[in-house]
Amino acid sequence: MTAGSAAFVGRARTLAQVYRHFGEVDAAETSPLYRRVAVALSESDEALRAIEAAPARKRHPTVILAALHDLALAGRAPGLASAYAATDGDAAADAAVDTLLRMTDTVVALAVRRKTRPDETGRSTVLYPAIAEAARRFGANAVGLIDVGCSAGLNLNVDRVGITYSNGQSLGDPSSPVQLSASIVGDRPVPARAMPEVVTRIGVDVDPVDVTDADEARWLRACLGPDQPERIARLDAEMALAATAAPLLLQGDAVEVMPDAVARVPADALPVVTTTWALSRFRGESRLRFLDRLDEAAAGRPVAWVSVEGVGVAPTIPTLGDRHASGHSLIGLAVFDRSARPAEAIGRCWSRGRVLAWLADS
């Protein structure tokens, strides 16, 4: 065996382990199709060589599987599309390997150009009561929403969805095409108050997604498993809703763009900045600079910050003694108005907002 062949064998074993683990652990419950496909890729030396054509940071199963799914959705891989539509695991595995080998350059180009998008849908179950609470504390009759790390800006339609909680409470628009649900744990209900009028919707992201662009919308769908019809239907409904009132998308680093974003909110409305699992992508010093920018923006007007982040990720938000990486997130509320009011944790949530415990006094 040559030195080059030996090196590939070592790398391939590691890559094969990543794909097998993804299939047998990560996708085991959420996507039986991807479980079969990922394992099949892990067992094919040819497929692993093809994946190695991508830069190391673009070889992860979520990226390669999304690129393959995008080709299927675009009609460029009809065999794979048919296998996915039939939810035939064996056929999908064979078609995925075949598509990857035949279209390696195309798959790699997609993986390099795109990035996988986190599942944005469903976050309104947490954001709605938190934003309403921020507005109550300021006595605001109107708010301007500024979502950081928004990607497609779906969080900006928080006031236009319907939400039902397991304790019988409901918030939002009961006639909305987007209906969400969440379980309540603990003995406190979420506040029953409605959000005030939203007069501005602004998304801030280094690489925002325009949901009115067919290619961009298709990529968002491609980031979901093809055998997840409920999630795909919910994403389609949220994208359609967003397209009817497209937000202003500002491209750039949030630390640099924030002053411009706040300035675009009318003077008679409260700017409410939201971050949902976005600050973990910031370095520690950038998180602190982000807060400094919010404080600077509040020099001439009050600004609220609603955060939903892992324990210890959002600076100044109390951790309540919870451990880091504990499996849940804290819902934080900080106000910037020169009053030195402390930031607080007003709730906990699990499963990206599907389970919620409200903590603040109503």
Side-chain angles (χ1 to χ4, degrees):
M1 180 181 295
T2 65
S5 297
F8 168 74
V9 169
R11 294 194 306 270
R13 284 176 180 168
T14 301
L15 194 59
Q17 290 168 354
V18 170
Y19 273 76
R20 179 170 290 279
H21 183 273
F22 179 87
E24 295 182 344
V25 178
D26 297 340
E29 295 184 3
T30 60
S31 178
L33 268 184
Y34 273 179
R35 181 186 188 282
R36 184 68 189 90
V37 170
V39 170
L41 293 173
S42 77
E43 295 173 343
S44 168
D45 286 346
E46 293 82 2
L48 295 173
R49 285 186 182 276
I51 294 169
E52 278 216 323
R57 62 187 177 84
K58 293 291 187 175
R59 296 172 189 167
H60 192 272
T62 56
V63 183
I64 299 300
L65 290 173
L68 289 168
H69 193 192
D70 186 79
L71 293 175
L73 292 173
R76 301 175 65 185
L80 182 59
S82 296
Y84 279 170
T87 61
D88 185 330
D90 291 336
D94 292 340
V97 172
D98 177 69
T99 301
L100 176 60
L101 297 183
R102 287 188 303 101
M103 306 180 71
T104 299
D105 291 345
T106 303
V107 173
V108 169
L110 270 173
V112 170
R113 183 165 60 93
R114 300 286 197 180
K115 69 176 183 179
T116 54
R117 301 289 178 172
D119 179 8
E120 293 185 11
T121 63
R123 301 182 183 189
S124 296
T125 58
V126 174
L127 287 175
Y128 191 110
I131 294 170
E133 177 66 13
R136 180 191 71 83
R137 296 187 182 192
F138 279 103
N141 296 317
V143 296
L145 300 181
I146 303 171
D147 190 36
V148 174
C150 65
S151 293
L154 303 184
N155 295 339
L156 293 165
N157 289 291
V158 55
D159 59 314
R160 304 175 67 209
V161 307
I163 306 169
T164 302
Y165 296 99
S166 59
N167 63 355
Q169 285 184 273
S170 60
L171 294 173
D173 182 0
S175 64
S176 172
V178 178
Q179 295 294 319
L180 306 173
S181 62
S183 297
I184 296 291
V185 296
D187 56 3
R188 294 193 181 187
V190 297
R193 68 185 62 89
M195 278 181 56
E197 179 186 7
V198 177
V199 296
T200 309
R201 304 173 198 272
I202 301 171
V204 178
D205 197 282
V206 293
D207 186 19
V209 176
D210 179 2
V211 297
T212 65
D213 182 284
D215 290 343
E216 297 283 340
R218 186 182 66 244
W219 177 254
L220 288 182
R221 296 186 189 96
C223 291
L224 299 179
D227 55 346
Q228 298 176 315
E230 291 184 1
R231 292 180 68 189
I232 293 172
R234 188 172 68 181
L235 174 62
D236 284 343
E238 292 206 13
M239 288 196 296
L241 185 65
T244 64
L248 172 64
L249 298 178
L250 301 181
Q251 183 173 12
D253 181 276
V255 174
E256 305 303 326
V257 175
M258 190 53 57
D260 180 33
V262 172
R264 291 173 183 262
V265 177
D268 59 350
L270 170 69
V272 180
V273 178
T274 59
T275 64
T276 53
W277 299 287
L279 292 186
S280 60
R281 299 194 293 272
F282 289 33
R283 292 185 177 181
E285 62 270 20
S286 293
R287 298 176 195 174
L288 295 175
R289 288 178 59 215
F290 173 70
L291 260 64
D292 288 341
R293 284 304 178 102
L294 291 179
D295 193 47
E296 291 168 8
R301 65 190 305 183
V303 176
W305 172 39
V306 170
S307 63
V308 187
E309 305 284 353
V311 177
V313 172
T316 75
I317 302 300
T319 61
L320 306 178
D322 298 349
R323 295 182 178 180
H324 293 261
S326 56
H328 70 273
S329 299
L330 293 173
I331 307 162
L333 175 58
V335 293
F336 299 84
D337 63 351
R338 302 306 181 190
S339 66
R341 284 184 283 186
E344 64 180 286
I346 59 175
R348 295 184 178 94
C349 71
W350 295 258
S351 301
R352 297 278 168 162
R354 287 185 283 273
V355 180
L356 167 65
W358 191 258
L359 302 177
D361 293 328
S362 299

